[in-house]
Amino acid sequence: QVQLVESGGDLVQAGGSLRLSCAASGSIFSINAMHWYRQAPGKQRELVAVITSGGKTNYTDSVKGRFTISRDNAKNTVYLQMNSLKPEDTAVYYCNAEGELVRGVEYFEVWGQGTLVTVSS
């Protein structure tokens, strides 16, 4: 069974920075894409950033130039460096990972429990 454990959420003032981490554990053969999503109060969950196993990244427009997604494949961990935070970045941030338990045979997709980021004005 694969689990994701997130950390790094906190209360920060506008203009500040935070770094979120998400570590995967379990009997994993490989992890393909890793994602960060967020859900603000009263809003739908939205994709924030994605990174492939090869390191290609993509971001939603509202965070481009401010957020950076990265991963450490040896540690099965994905990070989200968030700079120049704005009050509208306030949300619960979730990581998501998909990959293989057994090469070409058994696949997984798993979500973390979420970590709260609050940006005060």
Side-chain angles (χ1 to χ4, degrees):
Q1 186 176 0
V2 179
Q3 290 185 322
L4 298 180
V5 177
E6 297 143 340
S7 61
D10 206 344
L11 170 64
V12 64
Q13 288 189 334
S17 298
L18 283 176
R19 187 192 195 209
L20 305 183
S21 300
C22 173
S25 63
S27 182
I28 299 169
F29 174 75
S30 67
I31 299 178
N32 300 325
M34 301 186 82
H35 310 77
W36 284 101
Y37 287 78
R38 67 185 179 187
Q39 188 165 18
K43 295 188 177 181
Q44 289 188 330
R45 190 172 296 189
E46 67 167 343
L47 177 62
V48 176
V50 57
I51 185 167
T52 68
S53 57
K56 289 186 177 180
T57 60
N58 201 8
Y59 302 89
T60 191
D61 286 346
S62 62
V63 308
K64 284 181 180 177
R66 300 189 297 122
F67 290 12
T68 302
I69 189 171
S70 61
R71 64 191 282 174
D72 183 334
N73 291 329
K75 295 181 179 180
N76 286 338
T77 299
V78 63
Y79 306 96
L80 187 67
Q81 177 66 43
M82 306 185 294
N83 299 327
S84 302
L85 282 161
K86 304 175 181 180
E88 51 263 44
D89 295 317
T90 295
V92 178
Y93 284 71
Y94 299 89
C95 68
N96 168 278
E98 50 192 29
E100 298 172 296
L101 298 176
V102 178
R103 182 177 181 179
V105 176
E106 190 171 357
Y107 302 88
F108 70 89
E109 180 181 5
V110 64
W111 290 86
Q113 80 286 356
T115 186
L116 178 62
V117 172
T118 304
V119 184
S120 63
S121 57

